[in-house]
Short mmCIF file of all heavy atoms in Angstrom, two decimals:
data_model
loop_
_atom_site.label_atom_id
_atom_site.label_comp_id
_atom_site.label_asym_id
_atom_site.label_seq_id
_atom_site.Cartn_x
_atom_site.Cartn_y
_atom_site.Cartn_z
N VAL A 131 -4.79 0.32 -1.40
CA VAL A 131 -4.98 -0.48 -2.61
C VAL A 131 -4.07 -1.70 -2.54
O VAL A 131 -2.89 -1.58 -2.18
CB VAL A 131 -4.64 0.32 -3.89
CG1 VAL A 131 -4.78 -0.56 -5.13
CG2 VAL A 131 -5.52 1.56 -3.99
N ALA A 132 -4.60 -2.87 -2.90
CA ALA A 132 -3.78 -4.08 -3.00
C ALA A 132 -3.70 -4.50 -4.46
O ALA A 132 -4.71 -4.79 -5.09
CB ALA A 132 -4.36 -5.21 -2.17
N MET A 133 -2.48 -4.53 -4.98
CA MET A 133 -2.20 -5.09 -6.30
C MET A 133 -1.84 -6.56 -6.12
O MET A 133 -1.79 -7.05 -4.99
CB MET A 133 -1.07 -4.32 -6.96
CG MET A 133 -1.43 -2.90 -7.37
SD MET A 133 -0.29 -2.26 -8.61
CE MET A 133 -0.61 -3.39 -9.98
N PRO A 134 -1.58 -7.31 -7.18
CA PRO A 134 -1.12 -8.69 -7.03
C PRO A 134 0.12 -8.79 -6.15
O PRO A 134 1.00 -7.92 -6.17
CB PRO A 134 -0.83 -9.13 -8.47
CG PRO A 134 -1.80 -8.34 -9.28
CD PRO A 134 -1.84 -6.99 -8.60
N GLY A 135 0.17 -9.84 -5.36
CA GLY A 135 1.29 -10.06 -4.47
C GLY A 135 1.11 -11.39 -3.77
O GLY A 135 0.22 -12.18 -4.10
N GLY A 136 1.94 -11.65 -2.78
CA GLY A 136 1.90 -12.92 -2.08
C GLY A 136 1.33 -12.80 -0.67
O GLY A 136 0.42 -12.02 -0.41
N PHE A 137 1.89 -13.60 0.25
CA PHE A 137 1.40 -13.62 1.62
C PHE A 137 1.37 -12.23 2.25
O PHE A 137 0.39 -11.85 2.89
CB PHE A 137 2.30 -14.52 2.49
CG PHE A 137 2.17 -15.99 2.22
CD1 PHE A 137 3.29 -16.81 2.22
CD2 PHE A 137 0.94 -16.58 1.98
CE1 PHE A 137 3.18 -18.17 1.99
CE2 PHE A 137 0.80 -17.93 1.75
CZ PHE A 137 1.94 -18.74 1.75
N GLY A 138 2.46 -11.47 2.07
CA GLY A 138 2.55 -10.16 2.70
C GLY A 138 1.47 -9.20 2.23
O GLY A 138 0.84 -8.51 3.02
N THR A 139 1.25 -9.18 0.91
CA THR A 139 0.22 -8.29 0.34
C THR A 139 -1.16 -8.66 0.84
O THR A 139 -1.97 -7.79 1.21
CB THR A 139 0.26 -8.37 -1.20
OG1 THR A 139 1.55 -7.98 -1.66
CG2 THR A 139 -0.79 -7.48 -1.82
N LEU A 140 -1.44 -9.96 0.86
CA LEU A 140 -2.75 -10.42 1.32
C LEU A 140 -2.96 -10.09 2.80
O LEU A 140 -4.04 -9.62 3.20
CB LEU A 140 -2.87 -11.92 1.10
CG LEU A 140 -4.27 -12.53 1.24
CD1 LEU A 140 -5.25 -11.89 0.26
CD2 LEU A 140 -4.20 -14.04 1.03
N GLU A 141 -1.91 -10.29 3.59
CA GLU A 141 -2.02 -9.99 5.02
C GLU A 141 -2.25 -8.50 5.25
O GLU A 141 -3.07 -8.10 6.09
CB GLU A 141 -0.73 -10.45 5.72
CG GLU A 141 -0.72 -10.25 7.23
CD GLU A 141 -0.11 -8.93 7.65
OE1 GLU A 141 0.66 -8.34 6.86
OE2 GLU A 141 -0.42 -8.47 8.77
N GLU A 142 -1.56 -7.66 4.48
CA GLU A 142 -1.68 -6.21 4.66
C GLU A 142 -3.07 -5.70 4.30
O GLU A 142 -3.66 -4.91 5.05
CB GLU A 142 -0.62 -5.51 3.82
CG GLU A 142 0.79 -5.68 4.38
CD GLU A 142 1.87 -5.30 3.39
OE1 GLU A 142 1.66 -5.40 2.15
OE2 GLU A 142 2.96 -4.89 3.83
N ILE A 143 -3.61 -6.15 3.17
CA ILE A 143 -4.93 -5.65 2.77
C ILE A 143 -6.02 -6.18 3.70
O ILE A 143 -6.99 -5.49 4.00
CB ILE A 143 -5.24 -5.99 1.29
CG1 ILE A 143 -6.43 -5.15 0.78
CG2 ILE A 143 -5.50 -7.47 1.10
CD1 ILE A 143 -6.16 -3.67 0.72
N MET A 144 -5.84 -7.40 4.22
CA MET A 144 -6.82 -7.94 5.16
C MET A 144 -6.76 -7.21 6.50
O MET A 144 -7.78 -7.01 7.16
CB MET A 144 -6.59 -9.43 5.36
CG MET A 144 -7.08 -10.30 4.21
SD MET A 144 -8.91 -10.24 4.03
CE MET A 144 -9.11 -8.88 2.85
N GLU A 145 -5.56 -6.80 6.91
CA GLU A 145 -5.45 -6.08 8.18
C GLU A 145 -6.17 -4.74 8.10
O GLU A 145 -6.93 -4.39 9.02
CB GLU A 145 -3.99 -5.87 8.58
CG GLU A 145 -3.85 -5.16 9.91
CD GLU A 145 -2.49 -5.33 10.56
OE1 GLU A 145 -1.58 -5.86 9.90
OE2 GLU A 145 -2.35 -4.94 11.73
N VAL A 146 -5.96 -3.97 7.02
CA VAL A 146 -6.62 -2.67 6.96
C VAL A 146 -8.12 -2.82 6.73
O VAL A 146 -8.91 -1.95 7.12
CB VAL A 146 -5.99 -1.75 5.87
CG1 VAL A 146 -4.54 -1.45 6.22
CG2 VAL A 146 -6.11 -2.34 4.48
N THR A 147 -8.54 -3.94 6.10
CA THR A 147 -9.97 -4.22 5.98
C THR A 147 -10.57 -4.50 7.35
O THR A 147 -11.66 -4.01 7.69
CB THR A 147 -10.21 -5.42 5.04
OG1 THR A 147 -9.67 -5.14 3.75
CG2 THR A 147 -11.69 -5.72 4.89
N THR A 148 -9.87 -5.27 8.15
CA THR A 148 -10.31 -5.56 9.51
C THR A 148 -10.34 -4.29 10.35
O THR A 148 -11.26 -4.08 11.15
CB THR A 148 -9.38 -6.60 10.17
OG1 THR A 148 -9.36 -7.78 9.37
CG2 THR A 148 -9.86 -6.96 11.58
N TRP A 149 -9.32 -3.43 10.16
CA TRP A 149 -9.32 -2.16 10.88
C TRP A 149 -10.59 -1.36 10.59
O TRP A 149 -11.16 -0.73 11.48
CB TRP A 149 -8.10 -1.32 10.48
CG TRP A 149 -6.78 -1.81 10.98
CD1 TRP A 149 -6.55 -2.83 11.87
CD2 TRP A 149 -5.50 -1.29 10.62
NE1 TRP A 149 -5.21 -2.98 12.09
CE2 TRP A 149 -4.54 -2.05 11.34
CE3 TRP A 149 -5.06 -0.29 9.78
CZ2 TRP A 149 -3.17 -1.81 11.22
CZ3 TRP A 149 -3.71 -0.04 9.66
CH2 TRP A 149 -2.77 -0.81 10.37
N SER A 150 -11.02 -1.37 9.33
CA SER A 150 -12.25 -0.66 8.98
C SER A 150 -13.46 -1.31 9.65
O SER A 150 -14.32 -0.61 10.19
CB SER A 150 -12.43 -0.65 7.46
OG SER A 150 -13.62 0.02 7.10
N GLN A 151 -13.52 -2.62 9.61
CA GLN A 151 -14.64 -3.33 10.24
C GLN A 151 -14.73 -3.00 11.73
O GLN A 151 -15.84 -2.88 12.28
CB GLN A 151 -14.47 -4.84 10.07
CG GLN A 151 -15.56 -5.66 10.73
CD GLN A 151 -15.36 -7.14 10.56
OE1 GLN A 151 -16.04 -7.79 9.79
NE2 GLN A 151 -14.39 -7.69 11.27
N LEU A 152 -13.58 -2.84 12.36
CA LEU A 152 -13.54 -2.55 13.80
C LEU A 152 -13.72 -1.06 14.11
O LEU A 152 -13.72 -0.67 15.27
CB LEU A 152 -12.21 -3.03 14.39
CG LEU A 152 -11.97 -4.54 14.36
CD1 LEU A 152 -10.58 -4.87 14.87
CD2 LEU A 152 -13.03 -5.28 15.18
N GLY A 153 -13.86 -0.24 13.08
CA GLY A 153 -14.07 1.19 13.29
C GLY A 153 -12.82 1.98 13.56
O GLY A 153 -12.88 3.12 14.04
N ILE A 154 -11.65 1.41 13.25
CA ILE A 154 -10.39 2.13 13.46
C ILE A 154 -10.21 3.23 12.42
O ILE A 154 -9.62 4.27 12.70
CB ILE A 154 -9.20 1.14 13.45
CG1 ILE A 154 -9.32 0.18 14.65
CG2 ILE A 154 -7.86 1.87 13.48
CD1 ILE A 154 -8.29 -0.93 14.65
N HIS A 155 -10.67 3.00 11.20
CA HIS A 155 -10.60 4.04 10.16
C HIS A 155 -11.80 3.92 9.23
O HIS A 155 -12.55 2.93 9.27
CB HIS A 155 -9.28 3.92 9.37
CG HIS A 155 -9.23 2.75 8.44
ND1 HIS A 155 -9.84 2.75 7.19
CD2 HIS A 155 -8.64 1.53 8.55
CE1 HIS A 155 -9.62 1.60 6.58
NE2 HIS A 155 -8.90 0.83 7.39
N LYS A 156 -11.99 4.95 8.39
CA LYS A 156 -13.08 4.97 7.42
C LYS A 156 -12.54 5.17 6.00
O LYS A 156 -13.25 5.63 5.11
CB LYS A 156 -14.06 6.10 7.75
CG LYS A 156 -14.74 5.97 9.10
CD LYS A 156 -15.67 7.15 9.34
CE LYS A 156 -16.36 7.02 10.70
NZ LYS A 156 -17.29 8.17 10.96
N LYS A 157 -11.30 4.83 5.79
CA LYS A 157 -10.65 5.08 4.50
C LYS A 157 -11.04 4.01 3.48
O LYS A 157 -11.36 2.89 3.84
CB LYS A 157 -9.13 5.09 4.69
CG LYS A 157 -8.64 6.10 5.72
CD LYS A 157 -7.18 5.88 6.05
CE LYS A 157 -6.71 6.76 7.19
NZ LYS A 157 -5.30 6.50 7.57
#
Side-chain angles (χ1 to χ4, degrees):
V131 177
M133 291 199 63
F137 288 141
T139 301
L140 193 58
E141 182 268 339
E142 288 165 332
I143 195 65
M144 284 294 92
E145 182 161 9
V146 297
T147 301
T148 303
W149 288 353
S150 179
Q151 178 181 254
L152 295 175
I154 295 174
H155 73 80
K156 298 179 180 180
K157 304 169 187 177

